[in-house]
Amino acid sequence: MTTVSNAEYRGVWVFIEQVAGEPAPVSWELLGAGRQLADALGVELAGVLLGQGVAGLVSEAWAYGADRVYLVEDPVLGPYRTAPYARALVELVQRYRPEILLLGATSLGRDLSGAVATALGTGLTADCTGLNIDPATRLLEQTRPVFGGNVMATILCQRHRPQMATVRPRVMPLPPRQEGRQGELVRVGIALKEEEALATVLKVIEEKGKAIYLDRAEIIVAGGRGLGSRENLRLLEELAGVLGGTLGASRAAVEAGWLPPEYQVGQTGITVRPKVYFAIGISGAIQHLVGMQNSEVIVAINKDPEAPIFKVATYGIIGDFQEVVPALTEEFRRQ
Ligand code: FAD
């Protein structure tokens, strides 16, 4: 067996996640983060695209900053399955040797990254909320919450390559899309066999109506313990309906059973970055703030003028939400 030294690994890679040709926005966010790492290291930034009939996404990856895209198209890579995707990604890494490989901390990215890191015998930091590079050592500083979110740990992968991390959606800003930006395309053939896929997709059942994509929402109307009851959510639903927004919740509102856990914003919930975030009856605990403080505009409605949420709010309204929210809904409806 030949041993490859760490110095032979060069470049930053981002896995471009897609399902049925629909790209996951976190891929573009990671290209933005990857650009900074690549520039600091003086290396190229590449995207890795696996699938069938997905070549149309190559120009998107260039537009979001990839210098090069490695594309593997194969019918076996049509619907996502762990074994063939991991096999293709492992083989690409072994052939081209990137020093850093980033994936979105989505359910697909979490599944794939574990299989790939295991096969490569390298480390993986899952669910990162921050990345930084030390150009002198070329070590990726990977920050993530640990011990139930009570401590932020910075993790280094000193011995093995590539340094692998999954990063939560919406933690990194979306880089500007540079229309017409051209990069290089490397089509790679990998011998994949259907019988080695280990699983067969019989049918894809789309979740109708129920699926919420809080991390992609442009307007979020979030409620907290201050709502007092599940019935009062109706006022927030009306506001969200008029604005075309999505509901969100603090952990207290989720623990009260008013909304399901997938609506929870914060350190142990989802990180969001909408254009407008309404925080209604939410005090602004640090664990909530870390999940929403990067929103473009924050409107806080709280009857306590001392509530910490007002420190991050763009617009603060001191008052009872039962009076303020219907008035806002009415005003937006008229406009
Ligand atoms: P409260 O703090 O009770 O605030 C309710 C607010 O409503 C108050 O400010 C009050 O003035 C206001 N209010 C009351 N009545 C009205 C009214 N009629 N009109 C207007 N305002 C009114 N929390 C999260 O949200 N997300 C997380 O991911 C998360 N992760 C956590 C992880 C760990 C490890 C720990 C320890 C905690 C975590 N928490 C998280 C919990 C967090 O610390 C807070 O307890 C929680 O965010 C409080 O929710 P809240 O703001 O809805 O409730």
Side-chain angles (χ1 to χ4, degrees), residues 158-204:
Q158 286 178 309
R159 287 180 47 203
H160 301 102
R161 293 292 175 274
Q163 304 169 80
M164 282 183 65
T166 62
V167 179
R168 284 191 190 189
R170 293 301 212 178
V171 165
M172 306 291 175
L174 190 68
R177 192 179 174 284
Q178 301 167 62
E179 182 73 47
R181 184 178 176 276
Q182 289 275 323
E184 190 188 340
L185 170 62
V186 182
R187 273 186 183 271
V188 185
I190 292 178
L192 297 167
K193 292 197 189 112
E194 180 59 38
E195 54 274 23
E196 288 170 4
L198 301 181
T200 307
V201 177
L202 300 177
K203 196 175 173 189
V204 177

Side-chain angles (χ1 to χ4, degrees), residues 270-303:
I270 293 171
T271 304
V272 299
R273 199 183 266 267
K275 288 207 162 75
V276 188
Y277 187 90
F278 288 87
I280 304 173
I282 293 177
S283 59
I286 184 67
Q287 295 90 354
H288 188 80
L289 297 186
V290 293
M292 45 64 76
Q293 62 195 358
N294 288 326
S295 305
E296 273 180 43
V297 171
I298 296 171
V299 183
I301 302 168
N302 199 303
K303 66 178 186 184

Side-chain angles (χ1 to χ4, degrees), residues 148-150 224-226 249-253 264-269 281-285 287-288 301-304 307 319-321:
N150 288 308
R225 197 186 334 249
S250 71
R251 184 154 111 176
Q264 184 181 317
V265 173
Q267 193 170 300
T268 39
I282 293 177
S283 59
Q287 295 90 354
H288 188 80
I301 302 168
N302 199 303
K303 66 178 186 184
D304 175 7
D320 189 328
F321 78 93

Side-chain angles (χ1 to χ4, degrees), residues 12-17 26-35 45-49 100-104:
V12 177
W13 280 17
V14 170
F15 174 73
I16 311 291
E17 177 179 329
V26 67
S27 311
W28 312 141
E29 293 161 18
L30 288 183
L31 282 176
R35 177 84 268 156
L45 172 66
V48 183
L49 185 55
I100 292 172
L101 171 57
L102 306 176
L103 299 90

Side-chain angles (χ1 to χ4, degrees), residues 60-231:
E60 281 300 287
W62 289 337
Y64 282 108
D67 299 315
R68 178 184 302 180
V69 176
Y70 293 98
L71 173 67
V72 184
E73 286 198 295
D74 192 298
V76 182
L77 297 173
Y80 173 75
R81 287 168 298 173
T82 315
Y85 267 69
R87 169 94 209 284
L89 192 47
V90 165
E91 207 164 313
L92 284 173
V93 168
Q94 286 171 336
R95 253 191 239 184
Y96 298 100
R97 296 180 192 149
E99 59 199 301
I100 292 172
L101 171 57
L102 306 176
L103 299 90
T106 58
S107 34
L108 191 158
R110 284 177 178 157
D111 179 62
L112 178 61
S113 56
V116 169
T118 307
L120 291 169
T122 189
L124 166 68
T125 308
D127 226 11
C128 291
T129 53
L131 297 175
N132 196 24
I133 194 81
D134 178 352
T137 59
R138 305 186 83 84
L139 284 174
L140 181 65
E141 297 165 1
Q142 308 158 60
T143 303
R144 55 152 299 162
V146 291
F147 300 124
N150 288 308
V151 177
M152 298 303 280
T154 297
I155 295 164
L156 305 176
C157 177
Q158 286 178 309
R159 287 180 47 203
H160 301 102
R161 293 292 175 274
Q163 304 169 80
M164 282 183 65
T166 62
V167 179
R168 284 191 190 189
R170 293 301 212 178
V171 165
M172 306 291 175
L174 190 68
R177 192 179 174 284
Q178 301 167 62
E179 182 73 47
R181 184 178 176 276
Q182 289 275 323
E184 190 188 340
L185 170 62
V186 182
R187 273 186 183 271
V188 185
I190 292 178
L192 297 167
K193 292 197 189 112
E194 180 59 38
E195 54 274 23
E196 288 170 4
L198 301 181
T200 307
V201 177
L202 300 177
K203 196 175 173 189
V204 177
I205 302 164
E206 299 230 356
E207 208 176 4
K208 285 207 187 84
K210 276 185 79 183
I212 64 146
Y213 295 103
L214 214 50
D215 56 342
R216 302 184 196 177
E218 300 220 317
I219 298 177
I220 295 176
V221 179
R225 197 186 334 249
L227 295 186
S229 73
R230 185 204 293 257
E231 287 64 47

